[in-house]
Amino acid sequence: MSPIRETDQFFRSIVQTIREALIILTPDLKVRFANDAFYRFFATEPARTLNQLIFNIGRGHWNVPPLHELLEKIQMEKAELKDIEVFQIFEDIGEKTMIINARRLVDQSDPGSELILMAIEDATERRILERERDEAFRSREELIGIVSHEIRNPLTTITTSLDIIRLLLPKTGAPLQIPKMIDNIYTSARRMERITTDLLDMTRIDAGELEIKMEHVPIQELAEEVMGLYEPEARALGIHFYLKRSPLTE
Amino acid sequence: MPCQSILIVEDEASIRENLKMMLELAGYSSIFTANDGKQGLETLKTLPHPCLVLLDQLMPVMNGMEFLEAKRHEDAIAAIPVCIVSGVAQQPTSKNLYEHFLKKPIDLTTLLSFVRLYCGEPNPKEAAS
């Protein structure tokens, strides 16, 4: 066996194991070689493919505008293609997203001429999954947005009612514990509000759309609020919680 | 001319009533309400010297943004300041149509600071506290 033939066979046995569809074309776009993955992808077979003009193989799969243009570009401009994504709906094999790479090779059997090697990655399933994931993110964000809005209205009724009670309380001579109870309800309502905001933020983080805003916060108020949230639980566990004011926080 | 009539446009009855009561308790006496943007627009045209509109965003019949668009084209009421009071997390983008955006649940102090800005100090005799 000649060294060229040996190399050729070695090359063929390697490319048959590759999951990506590979095809080698002559300069006039006839199929010199295709691997099994290519035949599977385009639902065709060697007898109907080899030595055929690429535009005629299968059901004219390569005779559609985006692929036709791509092949012309490779042929005329001798261009190399890197990660060109092509989406096409074929009558027989359905919707396909292909990522195409192409480069020119020296023809071992005719060193004066060049061949065209094309690798076609089937990205259909990946793109469908990505689309479904994006849609799921969107509908989850939409749902959380609606829930958040729906919760904000009853929360507004709660907090404004508490504001009114606070304004009226001095006139009523209510027991001393009442203002503390009102504060607790108010804090809990604000906590619920924060949960809805956090939920919205979480969906935005997942979607990579969170906008971070820097703002000044009165640290004393924030610390008091956090303490107010955990103080009842801490007290129940016998933990004493206290807040020490520092001149820096004034 | 003292300008103290305030219009609340809000479809949720409990919020509408609470906002009205809060403003009255704070000393503002001339508070009007509307259930949706359309009613709000009609009421606004009849008010004596309105100084501020508190506007919800999502409402039936005519929503907050439609109200603002319609108001913009009515010379007599176009300049009346609007504070959006909304449960929608995102602030509307057409900022030239309103003055402020308050997210629900609202903070009373912030609300009153906006009201004071456009309607002046409340009448101490009217204040309930």
Side-chain angles (χ1 to χ4, degrees):
Chain A
M1 196 183 284
S2 73
I4 290 176
R5 206 170 159 73
E6 261 180 44
T7 314
D8 191 49
Q9 280 214 332
F10 179 62
F11 165 75
R12 280 165 196 265
S13 57
I14 290 174
V15 294
Q16 289 300 6
T17 63
I18 293 174
R19 290 169 74 180
E20 224 171 40
L22 290 174
I23 188 168
I24 295 176
L25 304 173
T26 57
D28 55 355
L29 301 182
K30 283 188 177 161
V31 180
R32 168 75 69 87
F33 171 82
N35 69 350
D36 290 345
F38 183 90
Y39 294 124
R40 274 197 304 276
F41 189 98
F42 291 100
T44 185
E45 55 191 21
R48 294 194 290 135
T49 306
L50 295 173
N51 299 317
Q52 298 291 314
L53 197 62
I54 189 162
F55 302 121
N56 298 336
I57 64 166
R59 289 200 178 184
H61 293 131
W62 288 80
N63 207 10
V64 292
L67 293 175
H68 207 133
E69 281 162 25
L70 220 67
L71 286 165
E72 270 178 6
K73 198 171 171 191
I74 301 168
Q75 192 188 26
M76 308 303 288
E77 299 172 23
K78 301 200 169 191
E80 279 197 4
L81 299 180
K82 205 167 165 26
D83 295 334
I84 304 294
E85 188 164 325
V86 177
F87 174 80
Q88 184 67 37
I89 300 171
F90 297 103
E91 263 182 39
D92 55 338
I93 56 175
E95 177 184 315
K96 292 282 180 196
T97 304
M98 296 166 273
I99 296 173
I100 298 175
N101 282 280
R103 60 174 302 163
R104 306 182 86 83
L105 303 170
V106 175
D107 187 350
Q108 297 276 356
S109 58
D110 179 10
S113 70
E114 282 186 322
L115 296 170
I116 300 161
L117 168 68
M118 288 181 75
I120 303 118
E121 184 194 343
D122 185 358
T124 314
E125 209 169 312
R126 197 195 329 155
R127 290 289 180 262
I128 290 173
L129 287 173
E130 282 170 0
R131 219 163 43 218
E132 284 173 355
R133 185 199 59 195
D134 291 347
E135 276 164 21
F137 272 142
R138 259 196 305 279
S139 42
R140 192 174 67 164
E141 194 176 335
E142 221 174 277
L143 177 73
I144 290 174
I146 293 167
V147 171
S148 156
H149 174 258
E150 291 306 315
I151 287 175
R152 279 170 193 281
N153 270 344
L155 279 179
T156 304
T157 304
I158 294 170
T159 55
T160 49
S161 298
L162 292 172
D163 284 328
I164 293 167
I165 295 171
R166 273 175 176 160
L167 289 169
L168 295 173
L169 210 57
K171 291 180 176 179
T172 60
L176 287 173
Q177 294 91 330
I178 300 293
K180 176 71 183 155
M181 295 297 111
I182 292 171
D183 286 349
N184 286 349
I185 301 171
Y186 202 90
T187 311
S188 296
R190 286 286 171 191
R191 195 176 168 190
M192 279 177 74
E193 182 215 345
R194 259 199 309 277
I195 291 169
T196 62
T197 311
D198 288 350
L199 272 173
L200 269 178
D201 285 349
M202 272 167 64
T203 54
R204 287 187 192 132
I205 289 169
D206 285 345
E209 293 168 356
L210 183 76
E211 202 183 314
I212 295 171
K213 284 184 202 155
M214 296 274 280
E215 59 180 34
H216 286 282
V217 178
I219 191 75
Q220 185 73 32
E221 274 177 37
L222 183 69
E224 278 169 10
E225 207 179 307
V226 173
M227 208 174 99
L229 282 177
Y230 295 103
E231 209 267 336
E233 279 177 51
R235 199 174 45 231
L237 293 168
I239 299 167
H240 181 60
F241 236 1
Y242 67 94
L243 189 65
K244 191 176 169 189
R245 283 171 186 267
S246 153
L248 288 173
T249 64
E250 295 297 327
Chain B
M1 177 71 70
C3 170
Q4 286 199 348
S5 78
I6 301 165
L7 174 66
I8 298 163
V9 188
E10 166 69 63
D11 63 324
E12 188 110 356
S14 56
I15 299 175
R16 198 169 58 234
E17 286 159 17
N18 277 3
L19 286 175
K20 184 174 189 288
M21 206 185 296
M22 275 161 70
L23 293 174
E24 284 170 347
L25 286 169
Y28 295 94
S29 56
S30 189
I31 316 294
F32 297 82
T33 59
N35 301 349
D36 58 60
K38 188 168 179 282
Q39 208 183 82
L41 213 58
E42 284 158 12
T43 312
L44 195 59
K45 288 182 207 165
T46 64
L47 287 187
H49 311 289
C51 57
L52 181 65
V53 179
L54 298 177
L55 177 72
D56 186 22
Q57 249 182 301
L58 299 184
M59 289 178 290
V61 188
M62 181 190 270
N63 67 32
M65 290 319 288
E66 289 164 345
F67 168 91
L68 289 171
E69 265 303 320
K71 173 180 164 287
R72 186 164 72 111
H73 294 107
E74 300 266 356
D75 287 348
I77 57 170
I80 300 165
V82 174
C83 176
I84 295 179
V85 180
S86 174
V88 178
Q90 290 293 322
Q91 197 167 337
T93 45
S94 41
K95 286 184 180 166
N96 54 335
L97 296 180
Y98 62 94
E99 274 63 29
H100 298 284
F101 179 84
L102 259 182
K103 200 160 80 174
K104 288 176 183 171
I106 50 164
D107 173 63
L108 178 62
T109 317
T110 316
L111 173 74
L112 289 179
S113 69
F114 287 145
V115 174
R116 216 171 284 127
L117 189 67
Y118 296 102
C119 308
E121 289 297 326
N123 183 350
K125 282 179 194 165
E126 302 283 347
S129 55

